[in-house]
Amino acid sequence: FLSRLIPRKGADILIEAFVQACPESGRLVIAGPEGEPGYRAYLEKCARKSGAEARVIFTGAIYGEEKKAVLADTDVFALPSRYENFANVAAEAMACGIPVIVTDSCGIRSLVEGQAGLVIPPEKEALAGALRKLLDDKVLYARMKEGCRRVADQLRWDRLTEQMEGFYADA
């Protein structure tokens, strides 16, 4: 997870789903600046209550090369947001070749679904199932990882510029 720590981003759901999907092993990294005072403390409390406190790592804000390094060391990126205009960070994860899990409330969902990850409702059970699916199904994981390149290619600036120029020409 990499985003501002605010309730609508769904890190609380992710902690619960992580414990359900990975009850005895694995690490959950929650990276990002606190966007609402006291929310990181709330998430840390959720991690303690879950019993997985030692496996949930809070890094605080990360940027630039440090962000790339964290993404490069990631197996799955999850953003269980309750609402998200686009989800730039999911695009960044895909550009690093990391399959993603986003909710059907994220604007990037149409690029993710069936290509570079899974799209779910913002609910604990659905997220736990998606985590298990990507972590356990090596064929699916490899297919989604391969799809990350295609999605990232669709989001290149030169391609987006070309599309916008086409829209203006049509108008």
Side-chain angles (χ1 to χ4, degrees):
F1 178 93
L2 173 59
S3 192
R4 283 180 302 129
L5 302 184
I6 58 175
R8 79 173 166 89
K9 300 288 186 170
D12 57 325
I13 300 169
L14 181 56
I15 292 169
E16 294 175 13
F18 167 71
V19 171
Q20 189 173 333
C22 306
E24 297 177 15
S25 63
R27 288 180 306 175
L28 171 60
V29 175
I30 297 180
E34 185 170 50
E36 183 175 298
Y39 195 64
R40 177 175 170 162
Y42 168 75
L43 293 173
E44 290 170 343
K45 182 180 176 183
C46 290
R48 271 192 307 280
K49 283 176 60 177
S50 76
E53 178 181 23
R55 298 186 298 123
V56 180
I57 301 156
F58 292 88
T59 67
I62 59 172
Y63 303 102
E65 293 303 314
E66 187 179 16
K67 183 196 280 190
K68 280 185 189 176
V70 168
L71 286 172
D73 194 33
T74 299
D75 294 316
V76 174
F77 174 82
L79 183 66
S81 188
R82 293 169 174 100
Y83 171 76
E84 198 72 36
N85 284 337
F86 182 72
N88 287 338
V89 69
E92 291 171 339
M94 289 182 290
C96 291
I98 308 303
V100 302
I101 300 170
V102 297
T103 64
D104 53 13
S105 301
C106 290
I108 199 169
R109 69 188 172 277
S110 62
L111 292 171
V112 170
E113 192 162 29
Q115 294 189 79
L118 303 174
V119 177
I120 58 157
E123 300 164 357
K124 176 181 74 166
E125 297 296 329
L127 181 53
L131 285 167
R132 278 192 298 270
K133 196 171 190 176
L134 277 179
L135 293 171
D136 294 344
D137 186 336
K138 301 304 179 199
V139 172
L140 174 66
Y141 184 85
R143 192 174 87 229
M144 295 299 142
K145 192 167 181 63
E146 177 63 30
C148 287
R149 235 179 350 157
R150 289 188 303 276
V151 172
D153 187 53
Q154 292 176 47
L155 296 171
R156 284 190 352 250
W157 281 114
D158 58 337
R159 178 146 184 203
L160 294 173
T161 302
E162 186 178 294
Q163 287 177 332
M164 285 304 289
E165 287 173 346
F167 294 146
Y168 281 118
D170 289 346

